[in-house]
């Protein structure tokens, strides 16, 4: 037997020949994952290391596409379950493709092999977008935990509804980018840093719920450009929203997800659902989200020890997102809070801060670090705002049965100062103000600052309406009259500021980025602006109100493109029609306009001192408060219950029933008046918006429509305006001293109860 020294050189143990040269033979390791392009070229792919696109696809200008994964056995057709799985197993394990497999992959994925996009596509591009749906198993991170528990019939039904399919390619990238651009900054339900690492497959093995993924796509679809959606194959943004919502809701209803935290995340995102056939779904999803959050003890996040920081922060962001949605929904749709101070005292706990979201600052793919930090500061400001309006919402929209009038009047004097001080303290300490002309900040920073300001001014409007109602019901002295006048000034100031915010959204071109909840914030100001136009005394005021209504017309048009809110236009028309009937029935009819004094300088000085001279809503609120407060009650009742404008309780006695009005009757549009003389000093005081600011409203300002309806929703053609406005010289509508029905204590009590219904 020969020894090792006698063996041939090629048989030497341990490769000593290579060792002699300082090298060791090492077997080449195969990549765990490779894209289609690298498989076809038979070259090494670094997709699993650096994420898509790999370096080869990036240099060659091709889309980095993964090979299709095999469907779960329960989803695959029966004839495919019996086929040999060797070829697809080799694909998943990174093995070499056979010639037949490579040829089949070339045919099936030829459409996907296009130049890789370098950025989010521009909506002006006319190229078609490939939004092909793929099974969720195509993406290794998407999971459906309870899929194996469903019977085949349920799986077949869900598959027929495309619940197991998600978009792919460029369309999916655009949806995800728009989600983190417009939804995540003020509703950080998920961790952005963890999501991008999972989405880019930099971290493997972390699952993500298909339910939450479909809910994200549902919310993000509202912010896509219209032309982009049409080129993707969808009929409209509304239909695309409905499609994603239906898929997410079916997954939720069939209990395919069992993680309470994931269920809560999906429910929070689905609170953005509201349509003409399901107007209360946002509140329903919020209630479900609170239940799921309590199941994982999110309301007790502060009790977790410091060494469990990850769990503590995850639950904290979840619970504060629920608080934000609860406060903003209550303020917008006039419903009572679902997270009461007795359940969780927001004032005694710190809100979401920068240290809670610090891992997202440098991980965002849509915002730079500086912008991300500023957006987190705005989020913190909104959390403080949610705490500031909690007592106000509990007072104005009580969760229990509304209190009687005497008890409320006894509390209002004690609570008024606290409610005012709470809002004033938030404005002075936590409100972030950024000028629209400041070029240092990203446009999203300016947008979210203006959106937060809209929430704040809407809270002021609700507060001073409530205070004015309680003070007008007291009528017990000169001090009450002075307080009422001061409250009226604050109310009109809040209404004017809301109009300015709406105007700024349209001028800046950011009205299309507003969330669906803002629709409710603009209904009451729009109706009040319409009524103010009807009661305006002089030509300058009427011209100014018409100009502001044009901005509401434009923002309503943008709403109708993205959200199913056409029923709100019908509400506004009905309420204005009923108000017109009340004007003619109750002694608020037209009277001849008083002659203007010849002393222009003195009148200009008076207008400068008194920002809101008596006339319009201010005079209506002073002389006939019952009309104003019942008008507000009707608006609040419609928004809170989702019913028609006048399907409310019979105690709305000042307004006639909508059935008593002729069906063909429409509110008369205001008379078109010439612009005031530029040399007039009064015109300078009441200067309407300049035409340069109206560049985005060319279609509205064009000569095709000279007048606007009172609801601000539809223009009146110029050809028919002459027939509609065949009026006499005594044109202006003014208030007289005729009694307006009976303003008794019984009526006040009934109106108080109906105001309380808005919180039910």
């Amino acid at each position: 037997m020969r020894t090792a020294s006698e063996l041939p050189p090629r048989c030497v143990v341990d490769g000593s020949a290579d060792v002699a040269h300082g090298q060791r033979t090492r077997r080449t390791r195969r990549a765990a994952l490779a894209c289609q392009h690298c498989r076809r070229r038979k070259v090494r792919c670094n997709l699993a290391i650096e994420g898509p696109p790999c370096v080869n696809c990036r240099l060659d200008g091709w889309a980095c596409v993964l090979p299709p994964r095999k469907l779960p056995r329960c989803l695959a057709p029966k004839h495919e379950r019996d086929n040999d799985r060797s070829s697809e197993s080799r694909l998943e394990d990174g093995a070499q493709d056979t010639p037949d497999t490579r040829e089949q992959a070339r045919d099936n994925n030829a459409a996907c092999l296009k130049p890789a996009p370098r950025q989010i596509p521009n909506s002006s591009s006319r190229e078609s977008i490939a939004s092909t749906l793929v099974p969720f198993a195509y993406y290794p991170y998407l999971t459906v935990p309870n899929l194996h528990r469903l019977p085949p019939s349920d799986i077949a039904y869900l598959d027929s509804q495309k619940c197991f399919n998600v978009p792919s390619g460029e369309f999916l990238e655009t949806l995800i980018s728009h989600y983190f651009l417009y939804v995540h900054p003020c509703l950080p339900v998920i961790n952005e840093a963890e999501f991008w690492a999972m989405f880019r497959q930099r971290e493997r093995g972390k699952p993500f719920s298909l339910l939450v993924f479909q809910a994200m796509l549902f919310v993000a679809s509202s912010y896509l450009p219209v032309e982009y959606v049409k080129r993707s194959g969808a009929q409209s943004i509304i239909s695309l929203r409905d499609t994603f919502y239906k898929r997410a809701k079916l997954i939720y209803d069939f209990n395919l997800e069992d993680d309470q935290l994931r269920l809560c995340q999906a429910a929070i995102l689905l609170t953005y659902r509201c349509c003409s056939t399901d107007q209360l779904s946002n509140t329903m999803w919020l209630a479900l989200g609170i239940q799921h959050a309590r199941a994982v003890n999110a309301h007790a996040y502060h009790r977790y020890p410091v060494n469990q920081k990850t769990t503590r922060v995850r639950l904290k962001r979840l619970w504060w997102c629920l608080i934000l949605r609860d406060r903003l929904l209550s303020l917008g749709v006039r419903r009572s809070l679902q997270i009461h101070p007795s359940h969780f005292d927001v004032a005694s706990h710190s809100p979401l801060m920068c240290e809670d979201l610090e891992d997202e600052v440098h991980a965002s793919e849509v915002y730079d670090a500086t912008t991300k930090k500023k957006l987190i500061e705005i989020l913190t400001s909104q959390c403080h705002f949610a705490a500031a309006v909690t007592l106000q919402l509990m007072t104005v929209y009580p969760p229990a049965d509304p209190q009687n009038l005497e008890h409320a009047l006894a509390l209002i004097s004690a609570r008024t100062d606290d409610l005012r001080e709470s809002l004033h303290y938030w404005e002075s300490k936590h409100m972030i103000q950024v000028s629209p002309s400041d070029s240092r900040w990203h446009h999203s920073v300016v947008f979210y600052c203006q959106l937060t300001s809209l929430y704040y001014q809407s809270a002021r409007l609700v507060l001073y309406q409530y205070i004015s109602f309680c003070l007008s019901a007291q009528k017990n002295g000169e001090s009450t009259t002075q307080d009422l006048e001061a409250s009226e000034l604050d109310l009109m100031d809040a209404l004017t500021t809301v109009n300015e915010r709406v105007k700024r959204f349209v001028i800046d071109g950011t009205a299309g980025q507003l969330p669906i909840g803002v629709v409710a914030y603009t209904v009451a100001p729009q109706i009040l602006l319409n009524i103010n136009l009807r009661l305006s005394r002089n030509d300058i005021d009427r011209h100014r109100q018409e100009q502001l209504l044009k901005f509401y017309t434009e923002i309503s048009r943008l709403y109708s493109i993205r959200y199913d809110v056409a029923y709100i236009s019908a509400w506004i028309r009905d309420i204005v029609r009923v108000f017109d009937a009340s004007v003619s029935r109750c002694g608020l009819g037209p009277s001849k306009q008083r002659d203007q004094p010849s002393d222009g300088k003195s009148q200009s000085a008076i207008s400068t001192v008194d920002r809101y001279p008596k006339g319009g809503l201010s005079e209506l609120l002073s002389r006939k408060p019952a009309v104003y407060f019942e008008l507000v009650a009707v608006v609040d009742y419609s928004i809170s219950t989702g019913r028609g404008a006048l399907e409310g309780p019979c105690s709305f006695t000042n307004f006639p029933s909508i059935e008593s009005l002729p069906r063909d009757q429409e509110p008369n549009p205001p008379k078109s008046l010439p612009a005031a003389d530029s040399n007039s000093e009064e015109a300078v005081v009441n200067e309407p918006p300049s035409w340069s600011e109206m560049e985005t409203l060319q279609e509205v300002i064009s000569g095709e429509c000279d007048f606007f309806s009172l609801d601000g929703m539809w223009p009146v053609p110029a050809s028919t305006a002459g027939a509609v406005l065949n009026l006499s010289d005594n044109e202006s509508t003014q208030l007289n001293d005729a009694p307006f029905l009976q303003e008794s204590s019984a009526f006040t009590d009934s109106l108080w109860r109906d105001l309380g219904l808005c919180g039910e």
Side-chain angles (χ1 to χ4, degrees):
M1 182 175 181
R2 292 184 298 179
T3 62
S5 58
E6 298 176 351
L7 292 175
R10 57 183 178 90
C11 297
V12 177
V13 181
D14 296 333
S16 55
D18 293 335
V19 176
H21 294 82
Q23 299 178 354
R24 181 181 295 274
T25 302
R26 183 176 57 182
R27 182 180 178 182
T28 302
R29 297 182 58 185
R30 188 182 301 274
L33 189 67
C35 67
Q36 294 279 9
H37 186 54
C38 293
R39 287 176 180 275
R40 188 165 51 256
R41 293 182 54 196
K42 299 182 180 180
V43 296
R44 180 179 296 276
C45 181
N46 64 344
L47 175 66
I49 301 176
E50 298 183 1
C54 67
V55 63
N56 296 323
C57 293
R58 185 169 63 252
L59 295 177
D60 297 341
W62 293 94
C64 193
V65 180
L66 288 173
R69 297 180 61 199
K70 184 176 179 61
L71 287 174
R73 190 173 184 83
C74 56
L75 289 180
K78 184 176 180 180
H79 64 86
E80 293 184 3
R81 300 176 188 176
D82 301 331
N83 292 341
D84 186 18
R85 303 177 56 189
S86 60
S87 59
E88 294 189 17
S89 300
R90 287 195 301 270
L91 285 176
E92 294 180 3
D93 297 337
Q96 197 68 29
D97 296 341
T98 62
D100 295 339
T101 304
R102 291 197 305 269
E103 194 67 27
Q104 181 180 0
R106 184 181 299 108
D107 296 338
N108 294 339
N109 299 280
C112 299
L113 297 179
K114 299 178 181 179
R118 305 299 181 184
Q119 58 184 3
I120 298 178
N122 190 354
S123 60
S124 61
S125 176
R126 298 297 179 182
E127 298 180 0
S128 61
I129 301 173
S131 58
T132 306
L133 294 176
V134 297
F136 76 93
Y138 184 84
Y139 300 100
Y141 47 82
L142 293 180
T143 59
V144 183
N146 294 337
L147 183 61
H148 62 281
R149 299 180 183 178
L150 289 185
S153 58
D154 291 348
I155 294 177
Y157 172 74
L158 293 175
D159 191 29
S160 66
Q161 300 300 315
K162 308 294 184 182
C163 295
F164 301 123
N165 295 345
V166 293
S168 63
E170 177 184 330
F171 190 56
L172 179 62
E173 291 273 352
T174 305
L175 281 169
I176 297 300
S177 299
H178 279 71
Y179 172 84
F180 287 104
L181 277 170
Y182 303 117
V183 181
H184 186 78
C186 290
L187 198 70
V189 175
I190 63 175
N191 190 310
E192 184 178 5
E194 294 179 358
F195 181 86
W196 284 119
M198 174 208 66
F199 187 72
R200 300 304 182 194
Q201 298 187 15
R202 293 191 292 266
E203 295 183 5
R204 307 179 63 83
K206 290 187 177 182
F208 195 82
S209 172
L210 178 64
L211 171 62
V212 181
F213 198 75
Q214 296 282 23
M216 292 172 58
L217 300 182
F218 155 70
V219 184
S221 60
S222 306
Y223 304 95
L224 295 178
V226 178
E227 295 183 3
Y228 189 88
V229 172
K230 291 182 178 180
R231 289 187 288 113
S232 67
Q235 296 180 354
S236 63
I237 296 179
I238 297 178
S239 63
L240 190 63
R241 275 174 51 90
D242 293 342
T243 299
F244 286 126
Y245 174 77
K246 183 178 181 180
R247 295 172 185 172
K249 187 176 184 300
L250 285 174
I251 295 175
Y252 183 92
D253 292 341
F254 277 81
N255 298 321
L256 290 177
E257 180 61 60
D258 54 3
D259 189 342
Q260 294 293 327
L261 189 142
R262 300 301 185 187
L263 289 171
C264 180
Q265 291 175 334
I268 294 175
L269 295 177
L270 294 178
T271 57
Y272 283 88
R273 171 68 173 180
C274 186
C275 64
S276 58
T277 59
D278 193 8
Q279 300 165 13
L280 304 179
S281 58
N282 45 16
T283 301
M284 177 199 70
W285 285 114
L286 179 62
L288 293 174
I290 295 174
Q291 293 179 10
H292 295 308
R294 290 185 178 277
V296 294
N297 293 323
H299 61 291
Y301 68 87
H302 52 280
R303 299 177 183 175
Y304 281 79
V306 181
N307 56 359
Q308 299 183 12
K309 180 181 179 181
T310 303
T311 303
R312 179 190 178 100
V313 172
R314 183 184 296 111
L315 296 179
K316 180 180 180 180
R317 78 158 69 206
L318 196 69
W319 188 247
W320 273 98
C321 285
L322 285 169
I323 293 175
L324 284 174
R325 293 299 295 159
D326 185 34
R327 270 48 173 182
L328 295 180
L329 277 177
S330 177
L331 183 61
V333 298
R334 279 75 165 166
R335 297 172 192 161
S336 58
L337 295 179
Q338 299 192 45
I339 303 178
H340 301 166
S342 59
H343 302 158
F344 183 84
D345 187 10
V346 292
S348 60
H349 296 87
S350 62
L352 287 174
M353 309 291 288
C354 186
E355 53 266 22
D356 299 322
L357 307 174
E358 58 184 358
D359 55 340
E360 297 186 2
V361 173
H362 298 280
S364 176
E365 293 191 9
V366 295
Y367 291 118
D368 57 80
T370 304
T371 303
K372 189 66 179 178
K373 289 182 180 179
K374 197 66 176 181
L375 291 176
I376 295 177
E377 293 179 7
I378 297 175
L379 173 64
T380 304
S381 174
Q382 291 189 1
C383 292
H384 285 294
F385 174 76
V389 298
T390 297
L391 180 59
Q392 172 183 329
L393 296 175
M394 290 290 294
T395 304
V396 180
Y397 309 122
D401 293 336
Q403 303 166 346
N404 56 36
L405 182 60
E406 291 76 10
H407 187 211
L409 294 179
L411 293 178
I412 188 60
S413 58
R415 287 188 176 181
T416 297
D417 295 337
D418 294 339
L419 297 179
R420 287 176 174 170
E421 182 63 26
S422 179
L423 287 180
H424 178 71
Y425 179 81
W426 177 86
E427 182 185 15
S428 59
K429 297 295 183 180
H430 301 294
M431 186 175 183
I432 300 177
Q433 297 182 354
V434 177
S435 174
S437 59
D438 192 349
S439 59
R440 296 178 302 171
W441 299 108
H442 192 274
H443 64 86
S444 293
V445 174
V446 179
F447 169 75
Y448 285 111
C449 286
Q450 294 176 356
L451 182 60
T452 307
S453 177
L454 177 64
Y455 295 150
Y456 167 67
Q457 297 299 335
S458 300
R460 291 184 64 223
L461 181 63
V462 170
L463 174 62
Y464 291 120
Q465 282 179 344
Y466 179 80
I467 294 176
S468 299
F469 172 76
C470 294
L471 292 177
S472 63
Q474 289 180 350
K475 300 179 182 178
N476 58 356
E478 183 179 355
S479 60
T480 302
T481 303
Q482 296 177 354
D483 294 339
L484 182 59
E485 292 179 353
S487 179
E488 291 174 3
L489 291 178
D490 292 330
L491 191 155
M492 297 304 297
D493 179 77
L495 179 60
T496 302
T497 310
V498 170
N499 294 335
E500 292 297 324
R501 294 295 175 267
V502 172
K503 172 183 172 182
R504 177 53 56 185
F505 285 131
V506 176
I507 293 176
D508 293 345
T510 56
Q513 303 172 9
L514 293 172
I516 189 173
V518 179
V519 178
Y521 286 83
T522 59
V523 173
Q526 188 172 355
I527 293 178
L528 295 179
L529 182 61
N530 293 322
I531 303 305
N532 198 20
L533 174 61
R534 298 293 290 173
L535 302 176
S536 297
R537 286 185 175 182
N538 54 69
D539 298 354
I540 296 178
D541 287 342
R542 294 171 65 86
H543 182 68
R544 181 174 180 273
Q545 307 301 329
E546 288 177 350
Q547 297 299 320
L548 289 176
L549 274 179
K550 294 179 181 180
F551 291 100
Y552 279 98
T553 301
E554 176 65 11
I555 204 169
S556 300
R557 183 186 68 84
L558 295 175
Y559 285 159
S560 61
I561 292 175
R562 301 182 179 276
Y563 309 113
D564 182 13
V565 292
Y567 59 93
I568 294 181
S569 176
W571 288 355
I572 297 176
R573 283 194 293 267
D574 289 344
I575 292 176
V576 174
R577 288 172 59 194
V578 172
F579 179 83
D580 288 342
S582 300
V583 166
S584 60
R585 189 188 70 165
C586 304
L588 300 178
S591 61
K592 187 172 182 179
Q593 185 174 357
R594 299 169 185 171
D595 295 333
Q596 298 291 338
S598 58
D599 190 356
K601 294 184 179 180
S602 60
Q603 291 299 315
S604 176
I606 293 175
S607 300
T608 304
V609 174
D610 187 2
R611 184 179 178 185
Y612 304 107
K614 290 297 181 181
L617 283 177
S618 180
E619 190 170 359
L620 175 66
L621 186 58
S622 299
R623 294 191 179 185
K624 304 298 179 184
V627 182
Y628 177 85
F629 292 120
E630 186 161 330
L631 174 67
V632 173
V634 170
V635 175
D636 290 354
Y637 183 85
S638 299
I639 298 177
S640 62
T641 61
R643 299 182 181 179
L646 291 181
E647 297 177 7
C650 59
S651 57
F652 291 150
T653 55
N654 287 341
F655 281 9
S657 174
I658 192 66
E659 286 78 9
S660 63
L661 300 177
R663 286 299 177 184
D664 56 350
Q665 177 182 350
E666 294 291 345
N668 293 330
K671 182 177 180 181
S672 179
L673 299 171
D677 187 3
S678 58
N679 296 327
S680 173
E681 293 184 16
E682 186 175 356
V684 176
V685 177
N686 301 281
E687 183 181 0
S690 62
W691 291 106
S692 60
E693 295 176 336
M694 305 286 291
E695 293 179 354
T696 59
L697 302 176
Q698 293 299 327
E699 297 179 357
V700 179
I701 304 174
S702 62
E704 298 178 358
C705 51
D706 296 339
F707 311 99
F708 285 80
S709 68
L710 290 179
D711 62 355
M713 296 299 231
W714 43 269
V716 178
S719 59
T720 62
V724 174
L725 298 174
N726 187 13
L727 303 176
S728 58
D729 294 334
N730 50 358
E731 179 69 32
S732 178
T733 301
Q734 295 201 13
L735 296 172
N736 52 36
D737 296 329
F740 187 81
L741 295 181
Q742 182 180 2
E743 300 179 10
S744 61
S745 59
F747 164 76
T748 308
D749 290 337
S750 64
L751 182 58
W752 178 265
R753 289 193 301 269
D754 294 332
L755 281 173
L757 285 175
C758 299
E760 293 297 326

